[in-house]
Amino acid sequence: MPFNIWCGGCNSMIAKGVRFNAEKKQVGNYYSTKISAKTIDLFVIWSFTMKSACCKHEIIIQTDPKNCEYVIISGAQRKTEDFDIEDAETFALPADEERGKLADPFYRLEHQEEDLQKKKEAEPVLVRLQRVSDSRHSNDYSLNRALRDRLRSQKKRVAEETEVARKMGLGVRLLPPSSEDAAAAAAVRFSSKFEKNRRDKRAAIKAASIFVEPSSSASGSKRLELELKRRKIKAATASALLAGRVKPSSWQMAHISASGQTQRSVAVVRK
């Protein structure tokens, strides 16, 4: 695409330089006549038909040999862009009237003094720029050699850092060590598990009451003993059942009697 355009199908912008698979064909000829040389030049007018990638809309563009540009025939609209000459750092092209005046010898003679004055003002700057360019590019071999040496040392350093990272089991290349990184690493303090447990125990001790309750502790210990006895009775009955020495009915009765005794003992303790 020779310039920025707006697609006629979906109104999307197609940037300058986007490539298309276009159909090229000749649609006419343009004849240019030069009066001074008394010759006629023939220019072919080409037409390019393409489809936009956004909505498959057909766009037709033709060449304009007379104005030396491209013309949109259908399917799109050219995007108008205005810019400042100073911001774009370009030169303003002379208008058609100015071009006609430059062909006039009297007009050129009148502006010759101004052009010479501008040349004298810009000459020191141009000479200084030329000297700087000559000093930088006077010895191409030495500059190229210095550049290759620097690149070779850089590749060697990268290879060494990659090898060190591989030995350490890292997937990324480490940067060279510095004093700031060493100071920051030395200032880091990692908390261990021992310190955490000690802090938790101290917090539990501070949160607990300093007065001991003997009744509750005694009842809790007795309840624990009864639970252990009950588990032992169940384990002994199960082993006897597996060995075939006790019938299931008797095992159930023993279990019921044991649970009844346990309940009675718990009731006595509670009283």
Side-chain angles (χ1 to χ4, degrees):
M1 189 61 61
F3 38 72
N4 298 332
I5 65 172
W6 296 105
C7 178
C10 60
N11 202 23
S12 299
M13 193 194 78
I14 301 176
K16 176 182 177 180
V18 178
R19 296 187 177 184
F20 291 91
N21 294 327
E23 179 185 357
K24 178 181 177 182
K25 60 181 179 180
Q26 181 179 353
V27 294
N29 298 320
Y30 173 74
Y31 298 93
S32 175
T33 304
K34 294 182 179 180
I35 300 176
S36 59
K38 296 182 180 180
T39 57
I40 298 175
D41 296 333
L42 174 63
F43 297 94
V44 178
I45 301 176
W46 297 101
S47 174
F48 301 93
T49 304
M50 64 200 77
K51 291 185 178 181
S52 62
C54 50
C55 62
K56 304 300 180 182
H57 188 68
E58 189 178 67
I59 302 173
I60 301 176
I61 297 178
Q62 288 185 4
T63 58
D64 186 6
K66 181 180 179 180
N67 299 318
C68 299
E69 62 177 1
Y70 292 88
V71 179
I72 300 175
I73 302 301
S74 63
Q77 183 180 1
R78 185 169 182 174
K79 182 181 179 182
T80 56
E81 296 177 341
D82 298 331
F83 60 92
D84 191 5
I85 298 175
E86 295 181 357
D87 296 339
E89 298 181 356
T90 57
F91 295 98
L93 297 177
D96 296 337
E97 298 178 357
E98 295 293 334
R99 292 178 184 176
K101 291 180 180 179
L102 291 175
D104 188 3
F106 292 100
Y107 182 83
R108 286 185 296 175
L109 183 61
E110 291 176 357
H111 292 77
Q112 187 175 5
E113 295 296 332
E114 296 180 3
D115 296 339
L116 292 176
Q117 186 65 25
K118 291 180 180 179
K119 178 185 176 182
K120 290 180 181 179
E121 293 177 357
E123 188 174 3
V125 179
L126 296 176
V127 172
R128 187 164 58 253
L129 292 176
Q130 186 65 34
R131 289 177 180 175
V132 172
S133 179
D134 294 341
S135 62
R136 289 182 178 179
H137 303 88
S138 59
N139 194 351
D140 298 338
Y141 175 75
S142 60
L143 293 175
N144 190 11
R145 182 178 179 181
L147 181 62
R148 286 187 285 108
D149 292 342
R150 186 172 60 181
L151 182 61
R152 192 180 297 109
S153 61
Q154 183 179 1
K155 286 184 177 180
K156 185 177 180 181
R157 179 175 56 83
V158 170
E160 292 177 355
E161 293 175 356
T162 305
E163 183 65 21
V164 172
R166 188 185 64 81
K167 290 181 179 179
M168 297 176 64
L170 301 176
V172 294
R173 181 169 56 89
L174 297 178
L175 295 176
S178 61
S179 58
E180 297 179 358
D181 295 341
V188 176
R189 292 290 183 271
F190 296 98
S191 59
S192 61
K193 192 174 182 181
F194 174 76
E195 295 291 337
K196 183 177 182 300
N197 294 337
R198 186 173 64 176
R199 287 197 302 268
D200 294 343
K201 289 182 180 179
R202 286 185 177 180
I205 292 172
K206 290 180 180 179
S209 177
I210 60 175
F211 301 101
V212 182
E213 298 178 359
S215 59
S216 60
S217 61
S219 61
S221 60
K222 290 181 179 179
R223 191 179 298 108
L224 182 60
E225 291 178 0
L226 292 175
E227 187 67 25
L228 292 175
K229 289 181 180 179
R230 186 186 304 169
R231 291 181 181 179
K232 289 180 181 180
I233 292 171
K234 288 182 180 180
T237 308
S239 60
L241 179 62
L242 292 175
R245 296 193 301 270
V246 180
K247 295 181 180 180
S249 59
S250 61
W251 175 73
Q252 291 178 358
M253 294 300 294
H255 176 66
I256 293 171
S257 61
S259 61
Q261 292 177 2
T262 305
Q263 291 177 359
R264 286 196 297 272
S265 61
V266 171
V268 171
V269 171
R270 288 180 180 177
K271 289 179 180 180

